[in-house]
């Protein structure tokens, strides 16, 4: 996580505390899980066949793209 932050910091001497890094990592983890849950729910809604809604699905990129705007607003 620290390496990701360092790529956008303009001052190379900038440092982050361990707690801040842990919190940022947890936020990113929760954001990713929420994105996947929403994308799966969206894709299941798009399925026409009720039997396909109950099976395991392969998540499409289009489903992630469809839920991204609202997800970003919510977070």
């Amino acid at each position: 996580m620290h390496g990701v932050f360092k790529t956008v910091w303009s001052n190379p001497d900038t440092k982050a505390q361990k707690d801040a890094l842990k919190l940022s990592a947890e936020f990113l983890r929760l954001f990713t899980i929420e994105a996947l849950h929403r994308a799966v729910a969206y894709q299941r809604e798009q399925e026409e066949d009720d039997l396909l809604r109950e099976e395991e699905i392969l998540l499409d990129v289009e489903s992630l793209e469809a839920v991204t705007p609202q997800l970003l607003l919510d977070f």
Side-chain angles (χ1 to χ4, degrees):
M1 185 59 62
H2 192 257
V4 173
F5 286 148
K6 287 184 89 171
T7 62
V8 294
W9 288 337
S10 58
N11 184 352
D13 295 330
T14 303
K15 297 180 181 177
Q17 294 182 355
K18 287 183 180 182
D19 289 342
L21 293 174
K22 284 181 182 179
L23 185 61
S24 298
E26 180 65 11
F27 179 81
L28 185 59
R29 186 184 75 81
L30 292 173
F31 182 84
T32 304
I33 290 170
E34 182 66 20
L36 292 173
H37 281 281
R38 289 185 188 200
V40 168
Y42 174 81
Q43 191 164 328
R44 284 202 170 127
E45 288 175 5
Q46 301 303 314
E47 295 290 340
E48 294 177 7
D49 188 0
D50 286 338
L51 293 177
L52 292 176
R53 289 183 182 186
E54 301 302 322
E55 294 181 8
E56 288 185 14
I57 60 172
L58 180 61
L59 191 59
D60 293 331
V61 173
E62 290 81 17
S63 297
L64 282 168
E65 291 172 348
V67 300
T68 299
Q70 187 62 47
L71 179 67
L72 292 174
L73 288 172
D74 290 346
F75 269 76

